[in-house]
Amino acid sequence: MKSRLFLVLIFLGSLSQCASNGSSRLPSGFSSLGQLDSTIELDLRYVGNNNFIGRPITGYNASACILTTPAAQALLNAQRRANALGYSLKVYDCFRPQRAVDDFVTWASDIDDNRMKASFYPDVPKQELFSRGYIAERSGHSRGSTIDLTLVPLGTRQPEADPLLRDYNCRGEVSERYPDNSIDMGTSYDCFDVLSHTSNPDAGEAILKNRQLLVELMDAAGFNNYVQEWWHFTLRDEPYTDQFFDFPVRK
């Protein structure tokens, strides 16, 4: 009887330790960005309705940015550099579980669901999102060292707005896009359009200067940009180059 009680106490103690240490729920090699730096702004789009599907995405169980520990540490370096220039990083997406990518694939097969077309892919037929490289059945995000982000002036806040209230124009003037405290990058985040290509000259000189600033800050911290998306960066020395993870995003 005493031995059984002893085992129960050990079990309860281990549960208590897990509950008090959120990082213990993450696989080895991963970190929660919020536990390393509380100054980087989080505007995580797939946990809510403000995304190209218009609903929370499978696998996003909490508003948390999970990254491989090397990627998270490198991001802290980028934040320090941004702060010195009067900016902060703002993160839109971090680790993306494979089940979320599968959710994208399932959504893409429903050609009639175009609820968010005007706001996110106004000029691209939904059936061409894969062939044009905007969605893939495998995502670098699922390797844990890819991040989507922007720059915001220090001291600003993300405005409150309803992404389903009306059709926003992701490539229009700032007043036509979904409200965002980002410096002007020429398009909204996740705008599936050639205007989102990082070096597209049609974006204009001022926009290209803002994008180049973000690229330079991230490059100095060890990240490469994906040329079709000004917001998308991958750690050059990512620890998992061919492993795609599927644990849920949680705190």
Side-chain angles (χ1 to χ4, degrees):
M1 183 66 180
K2 289 183 178 180
S3 61
R4 182 180 300 177
L5 178 60
F6 181 69
L7 291 174
V8 169
L9 290 174
I10 292 177
F11 175 71
L12 291 176
S14 65
L15 287 181
S16 176
Q17 184 178 4
C18 288
S20 63
N21 181 7
S23 62
S24 67
R25 304 179 65 184
L26 297 176
S28 177
F30 284 81
S31 295
S32 175
L33 182 64
Q35 293 180 358
L36 300 178
D37 188 316
S38 61
T39 69
I40 296 176
E41 187 173 338
L42 301 183
D43 183 12
L44 300 164
R45 298 295 182 86
Y46 296 139
V47 74
N49 296 327
N50 192 15
N51 55 66
F52 60 89
I53 294 182
R55 58 164 172 77
I57 306 303
T58 300
Y60 287 85
N61 298 346
S63 185
C65 172
I66 307 303
L67 291 168
T68 63
T69 301
Q73 293 291 350
L75 202 63
L76 304 190
N77 182 15
Q79 174 72 340
R80 287 191 292 270
R81 294 171 183 269
N83 289 166
L85 298 175
Y87 300 103
S88 172
L89 301 176
K90 184 174 85 163
V91 175
Y92 295 119
D93 190 34
C94 302
F95 165 70
R96 182 182 304 163
Q98 182 60 44
R99 68 192 71 184
V101 179
D102 295 342
D103 196 7
F104 292 172
V105 173
T106 300
W107 166 82
S109 67
D110 183 2
I111 302 301
D112 295 328
D113 182 358
N114 282 291
R115 174 172 51 170
M116 306 301 285
K117 180 175 175 58
S119 296
F120 288 93
Y121 51 106
D123 241 17
V124 179
K126 186 175 180 180
Q127 59 269 31
E128 295 182 16
L129 289 175
F130 282 96
S131 62
R132 297 197 190 188
Y134 296 114
I135 303 179
E137 294 184 358
R138 292 281 193 178
S139 170
H141 283 276
S142 301
R143 300 195 300 265
S145 296
T146 293
I147 190 164
D148 296 340
L149 77 174
T150 188
L151 290 170
V152 300
L154 285 172
T156 63
R157 295 284 184 181
Q158 168 60 30
E160 292 187 12
D162 184 350
L164 306 181
L165 184 62
R166 66 178 179 88
D167 289 339
Y168 295 94
N169 183 353
C170 70
R171 60 182 186 177
E173 298 296 324
V174 172
S175 61
E176 299 174 330
R177 302 178 215 155
Y178 182 85
D180 196 320
N181 62 329
S182 170
I183 63 174
D184 191 359
M185 293 296 191
T187 72
S188 301
Y189 166 62
D190 259 359
C191 186
F192 300 148
D193 191 89
V194 294
L195 196 60
S196 295
H197 296 187
T198 307
S199 299
N200 188 338
D202 291 339
E205 184 177 351
I207 300 301
L208 292 180
K209 184 177 179 180
N210 286 345
R211 293 179 181 181
Q212 187 59 32
L213 174 60
L214 178 60
V215 169
E216 289 175 356
L217 287 169
M218 295 298 287
D219 177 72
F223 292 85
N224 289 333
N225 174 244
Y226 175 47
V227 296
Q228 288 192 202
E229 298 174 349
W230 58 258
W231 55 82
H232 181 117
F233 294 85
T234 299
L235 186 68
R236 280 192 290 275
D237 295 326
E238 59 179 319
Y240 307 108
T241 57
D242 57 3
Q243 189 170 354
F244 298 85
F245 296 88
D246 193 34
F247 59 89
V249 175
R250 55 195 177 193
K251 291 186 177 179

